[in-house]
Amino acid sequence: MEQIHTPKHSSFYVVGLNYKKADAEIRGQFTVPADAQPLLLAQAKAAGIESLMINSTCNRTEIYGFAEHPYQLIKLICDHSNGTAEAFQKVGYVYKSSDAVTHVFRVATGLDSQILGDFEIISQIKFACNQSRSFGLINTFLDRLVNAVIQASKRIKNETDLSTGATSVSFAAVQYILRNVPEVSQKNILLFGTGKIGRNTCENLIKHTKNKHITLINRTKEKAERIAGKFNLTVKDFSELQAEIQQADVLVVATGAQNPTVDANILNLRKPLLILDLSVPKNVDANVLQTQGVSLIHMDELSKITDDTLVKRRAQIPAAERILEEVKQEFLEWTKVRKFAPTISALKQKLQEIKNSEIDFQSRKLNGFNEEQAEIISNRIIQKITTHFANHLKDDDTSVEESIFLINKIFQLEQTPETEQKASVSFSN
């Protein structure tokens, strides 16, 4: 098993949980809100963690970073969410070294998304990287890894049809409405929450339902008005939410709050109501089902919807995985070279010292000694020797740690802390 180490003997980990084992309620407990993420990063920085990113979305909460033990990273999540270490043990996962790298690639390329091929995740990873960079928490390894997964994502988009067709949580919501609400173009649709998912849902509603009876409500009315202005929709004040719900046939909730924003107490319905909750944590209290005529659908149920788009996407998985593997291997090769680069540099310096000493000796001993020619010849020999060593260390069958140990011992190499720092991340057998 390959290991990745830093000078502080820490390893690269992914710790987190996602939709595969944790339902929306559990994921909601472990959500790290946007305003808490800087606090998490500051705590990591103060604890001496070298490099780290936090990625908390509706489908997953994960940390990608370095630690002496993964519990250090799990604790960061628990400290800044409502989750506990005990709950994490039941639904969470820990990946280390090359397994962690593979997981990051699969997440970033949409192969591990709740809805296959959902590429919104790559923009979330870019944001997470930039946020960590502002805290000085992106080292060379993590910077290179993020660039590699961005490259893989772009290639998969351009070279396969994995992202062909409109498939996302917001699109799935609209598909559900189309399939389950008769005469949908004549129904009153209320959209509560105009964040990213809300905006996408609004656009899909307009595009696919041909409905002109869509009303928007947001706690910050100005945000709703900006979206409504694009599509000539109605905007109501937050204070009118209860009255508008009574008029609605379909309620889409995408508020992104930490606690329910809709419950049975505000319904007081006059007719049947379909509620779609696209939020994590859940923003619709389950007690709404106690109200006669209410149907409640959450995003976890929507993600199970299959259509022709998803069938076509599944056929693209092998091609996408080939691209992922190619880019990932290039990244792993870089980490391997980065591991032994200081040793090769130290070896070259040692050979240069031997050469300089010998040329100095021969120039004083031999009449007519051509120092310039000796420099050219010896430098070429040194280059060939170090290239042979480098090729040996690059070989997949080579035990890099053992070989580096022997090279250092045989040539009595001295690697300064500055030299060692060049290999801040490495693989070992």
Side-chain angles (χ1 to χ4, degrees):
M1 171 67 182
E2 291 179 311
Q3 305 291 328
I4 306 175
H5 298 287
T6 67
K8 296 180 181 179
H9 307 293
S10 59
S11 299
F12 179 61
Y13 291 100
V14 170
V15 302
L17 67 156
N18 62 20
Y19 64 93
K20 293 179 181 178
K21 288 184 66 177
D23 62 21
E25 183 175 351
I26 297 297
R27 296 201 307 277
Q29 293 174 12
F30 283 92
T31 296
V32 180
D35 57 357
Q37 292 179 20
L39 301 177
L40 183 152
L41 296 175
Q43 181 178 331
K45 185 77 171 179
I49 290 177
E50 176 191 355
S51 189
L52 171 146
M53 288 166 47
I54 171 69
N55 180 29
S56 188
T57 71
C58 57
N59 293 329
R60 69 186 67 244
T61 293
E62 296 178 331
I63 283 182
Y64 317 134
F66 291 88
E68 296 176 28
H69 191 280
Y71 180 72
Q72 293 172 275
L73 306 182
I74 296 170
K75 184 177 184 300
L76 285 172
I77 292 177
C78 295
D79 284 351
H80 296 277
S81 71
N82 294 320
T84 65
E86 292 75 18
F88 184 91
Q89 286 183 332
K90 296 177 182 178
V91 298
Y93 43 77
V94 174
Y95 297 110
K96 184 179 181 182
S97 300
S98 56
D99 290 338
V101 168
T102 298
H103 181 79
V104 176
F105 267 92
R106 294 189 65 82
V107 169
T109 54
L111 288 167
D112 195 66
S113 295
Q114 189 169 22
I115 294 182
L116 178 65
D118 187 347
F119 280 95
E120 289 184 7
I121 188 68
I122 195 64
S123 63
Q124 294 160 351
I125 286 178
K126 289 178 182 177
F127 174 83
C129 181
N130 290 333
Q131 183 173 237
S132 290
R133 197 186 305 280
S134 68
F135 283 80
L137 284 170
I138 297 294
N139 65 1
T140 304
F141 174 90
L142 209 49
D143 184 61
R144 183 88 174 211
L145 177 59
V146 170
N147 285 331
V149 299
I150 291 172
Q151 177 190 354
S153 177
K154 286 181 179 178
R155 284 193 55 189
I156 289 172
K157 284 182 182 178
N158 294 332
E159 299 175 29
T160 77
D161 291 327
L162 189 69
S163 60
T164 298
T167 299
S168 63
V169 170
S170 58
F171 180 72
V174 175
Q175 288 291 94
Y176 184 89
I177 292 171
L178 288 170
R179 294 172 182 176
N180 293 276
V181 179
E183 300 179 343
V184 66
S185 63
Q186 303 303 314
K187 302 296 184 180
N188 293 326
I189 300 177
L190 175 60
L191 177 59
F192 179 31
T194 54
K196 188 170 185 178
I197 291 179
R199 292 195 305 271
N200 291 342
T201 304
C202 183
E203 292 179 4
N204 278 310
L205 282 170
I206 293 166
K207 180 178 179 181
H208 298 287
T209 67
K210 310 300 181 185
N211 191 305
K212 297 181 180 179
H213 309 282
I214 299 174
T215 300
L216 306 184
I217 291 181
N218 195 66
R219 287 184 182 274
T220 306
K221 189 176 181 180
E222 291 75 14
K223 290 184 179 180
E225 288 175 335
R226 284 197 292 270
I227 297 171
K230 293 172 58 179
F231 305 109
N232 194 28
L233 303 178
T234 301
V235 175
K236 295 289 186 177
D237 289 322
F238 176 67
S239 60
E240 300 178 80
L241 177 62
Q242 184 171 5
E244 290 301 319
I245 288 177
Q246 293 173 5
Q247 300 296 323
D249 299 290
V250 179
L251 169 63
V252 180
V253 181
T255 48
Q258 293 303 299
N259 298 298
T261 53
V262 174
D263 61 22
N265 294 326
I266 68 170
L267 294 186
N268 191 25
L269 298 183
R270 301 173 182 174
K271 56 182 177 178
L273 176 66
L274 169 63
I275 305 177
L276 291 88
D277 186 359
L278 309 187
S279 311
V280 172
K282 291 180 178 179
N283 280 187
V284 179
D285 196 302
N287 66 15
V288 299
L289 292 173
Q290 299 170 9
T291 302
Q292 186 176 1
V294 170
S295 300
L296 174 61
I297 302 295
H298 192 264
M299 63 182 302
D300 281 356
E301 297 169 77
L302 294 173
S303 68
K304 298 174 184 176
I305 295 175
T306 58
D307 57 15
D308 292 339
T309 297
L310 286 176
V311 171
K312 292 175 182 177
R313 287 186 176 192
R314 290 192 187 100
Q316 297 297 309
I317 291 177
E321 288 183 333
R322 283 194 294 271
I323 294 172
L324 182 154
E325 193 63 26
E326 181 181 330
V327 180
K328 186 185 77 172
Q329 288 305 319
E330 290 175 358
F331 173 76
L332 296 181
E333 179 67 20
W334 171 80
T335 64
K336 194 172 184 181
V337 171
R338 186 173 175 81
K339 164 64 180 175
F340 62 72
T343 298
I344 295 299
S345 178
L347 174 61
K348 192 169 187 177
Q349 184 176 333
K350 183 74 171 184
L351 294 176
Q352 289 283 357
E353 291 172 0
I354 295 172
K355 176 205 73 172
N356 293 337
S357 176
E358 190 63 25
I359 287 179
D360 181 64
F361 173 78
Q362 296 298 340
S363 65
R364 288 185 278 105
K365 182 178 179 181
L366 300 176
N367 291 327
F369 178 75
N370 191 322
E371 188 172 336
E372 184 178 349
Q373 288 183 349
E375 280 276 356
I376 294 172
I377 294 170
S378 56
N379 283 339
R380 286 179 60 84
I381 292 172
I382 289 172
Q383 184 61 40
K384 289 180 182 296
I385 291 173
T386 53
T387 298
H388 275 288
F389 276 106
N391 288 337
H392 166 73
L393 292 167
K394 288 179 182 179
D395 194 294
D396 290 337
D397 295 328
T398 296
S399 174
V400 177
E401 291 290 339
E402 291 179 9
S403 295
I404 287 176
F405 174 78
L406 288 172
I407 293 170
N408 285 330
K409 185 175 182 180
I410 292 169
F411 289 94
Q412 298 179 330
L413 302 181
E414 295 182 2
Q415 297 185 36
T416 64
E418 290 75 16
T419 305
E420 292 286 354
Q421 188 63 29
K422 295 178 182 177
S424 60
V425 179
S426 62
F427 283 87
S428 63
N429 297 309

